[in-house]
Amino acid sequence: MAAALLANTLYSVGFVLEKRALTSLPEVSIRQPARLLRLVLGSPLWIGGSLALAAGFAAQLVVYRTLPIAAAQGIFVSGLVLLVLLSARLLGEETSGRERYALGAILLALLMVVLSLREGSDTVGHDAPYQLILLVCVPSLAAGVWLYASAERRTRNRHRRPTTGVEYGVAVGLLYGVSSLAIKGVSSRLTTHGISGAVPALLSSPYPYLLLFTGVFGLVMSQAALQRCRASLIVPVCTTVTSLFTAVLGTLSFGEALPDEPLRLALRVAGTALAVAVLLTMPKHDTAPRPSPPAKELASP
């Protein structure tokens, strides 16, 4: 629980710092990945945000070694509350009354998931067939890249309505969902193998290569999307897709059983479902004014 809440805090701080840095940078695009990386790596504020996200990744490894996937996702969703608060305070992004009610419902969902936990009685899966992992992850990665490219084409079409950011959030969420399964796989190898056997076990699995792909493409795609959309809008959409993907497909892939007791089972399922349902019904049209001026356009090198 402590590691999960720490991961939430680090992820929220990291996203807000990166968003704040991106608002002062020239417009970035996935069509120029080298230029994007050069710009963000030249920003100390962005580097601070990325370090916070990396620390959140380390905390997430600890979580997956001790909590079932479905329970962990229910707790991770609670980090959106802190994200929205930080976005309002540091980025000037306003939240509507509907969004504030949604945050209250997410807190209720978190409480339900926490009450469903009982130390020593929940099954934590440590293995999954590699063929099954690839069957789940490869089509999801392809769908995420395709959806993002489609959103980019619609954005460049002047006769279409401005993008709301939902398509970007879903696309990046699919990549992060695959990344979350890969993190679970890495943590499982570290749990079931000694230090001397952990490296060969990891290199013979698909997990480090999935992490490499999602790390590179997720970085470029998320930064371009984060610059164009409100963090308090796109991150909840991304988190919803990631949580739903990981909780459902991860639980099935790693063979984790749900609680046997009817009350704890109802709390676990209802809490996770409530968190996902609330995020899916959040406003998808960005009507809030942008507090920051648009990024300046620079000539490409």
Side-chain angles (χ1 to χ4, degrees):
M1 278 292 298
L5 294 177
L6 176 61
N8 282 347
T9 302
L10 291 169
Y11 279 138
S12 297
V13 171
F15 277 123
V16 169
L17 290 179
E18 286 188 347
K19 171 65 176 179
R20 191 174 179 89
L22 286 166
T23 57
S24 62
L25 293 178
E27 184 177 357
V28 297
S29 171
I30 61 170
R31 291 177 293 173
Q32 298 174 308
R35 175 174 177 269
L36 184 153
L37 292 175
R38 176 173 59 82
L39 288 172
V40 297
L41 291 176
S43 169
L45 188 61
W46 185 91
I47 292 176
S50 64
L51 290 176
L53 292 177
F57 164 81
Q60 194 174 359
L61 281 175
V62 177
V63 174
Y64 280 144
R65 293 179 65 179
T66 55
L67 285 181
I69 292 177
Q73 293 307 307
I75 297 173
F76 287 146
V77 166
S78 69
L80 295 177
V81 177
L82 178 60
L83 172 72
V84 172
L85 293 176
L86 291 176
S87 297
R89 180 70 176 176
L90 300 179
L91 303 176
E93 296 182 353
E94 299 178 0
T95 56
S96 65
R98 182 179 173 183
E99 291 171 336
R100 288 190 289 271
Y101 282 121
L103 293 177
I106 290 173
L107 286 175
L108 175 61
L110 168 64
L111 178 61
M112 295 168 68
V113 171
V114 171
L115 291 176
S116 76
L117 300 175
R118 178 174 295 176
E119 185 176 359
S121 63
D122 290 313
T123 301
V124 180
H126 295 300
D127 196 17
Y130 292 161
Q131 296 87 347
L132 179 59
I133 291 295
L134 293 175
L135 181 63
V136 168
C137 293
V138 173
S140 302
L141 292 175
V145 173
W146 175 84
L147 182 60
Y148 194 99
S150 299
E152 284 284 280
R153 288 193 297 270
R154 285 192 292 271
T155 300
R156 294 196 297 269
N157 189 336
R158 297 181 180 179
H159 300 289
R160 288 183 178 269
R161 294 181 60 189
T163 181
T164 61
V166 172
E167 297 93 341
Y168 289 120
V170 172
V172 177
L174 286 173
L175 262 71
Y176 284 167
V178 172
S179 179
S180 189
L181 287 187
I183 293 173
K184 170 65 176 178
V186 171
S187 70
S188 298
R189 301 280 82 75
L190 296 177
T191 300
T192 56
H193 296 77
I195 297 178
S196 60
V199 174
L202 280 176
L203 294 179
S204 62
S205 74
Y207 303 123
Y209 311 106
L210 290 173
L211 277 177
L212 179 63
F213 182 91
T214 55
V216 173
F217 280 81
L219 172 64
V220 175
M221 292 165 60
S222 64
Q223 297 312 301
L226 192 59
Q227 187 184 61
R228 297 170 187 171
C229 311
R230 276 196 300 149
S232 55
L233 177 68
I234 191 173
V235 176
V237 174
C238 176
T239 303
T240 297
V241 176
T242 300
S243 297
L244 184 61
F245 181 97
T246 308
V248 175
L249 298 180
T251 298
L252 294 176
S253 298
F254 285 89
E256 293 186 348
L258 294 173
D260 294 329
E261 300 175 21
L263 178 58
R264 292 202 304 127
L265 175 62
L267 288 171
R268 176 78 57 83
V269 174
T272 302
L274 175 60
V276 172
V278 169
L279 294 176
L280 287 175
T281 57
M282 289 182 72
K284 296 179 176 61
H285 296 283
D286 190 5
T287 58
R290 295 181 181 274
S292 302
K296 300 177 182 178
E297 189 75 45
L298 290 183
S300 301

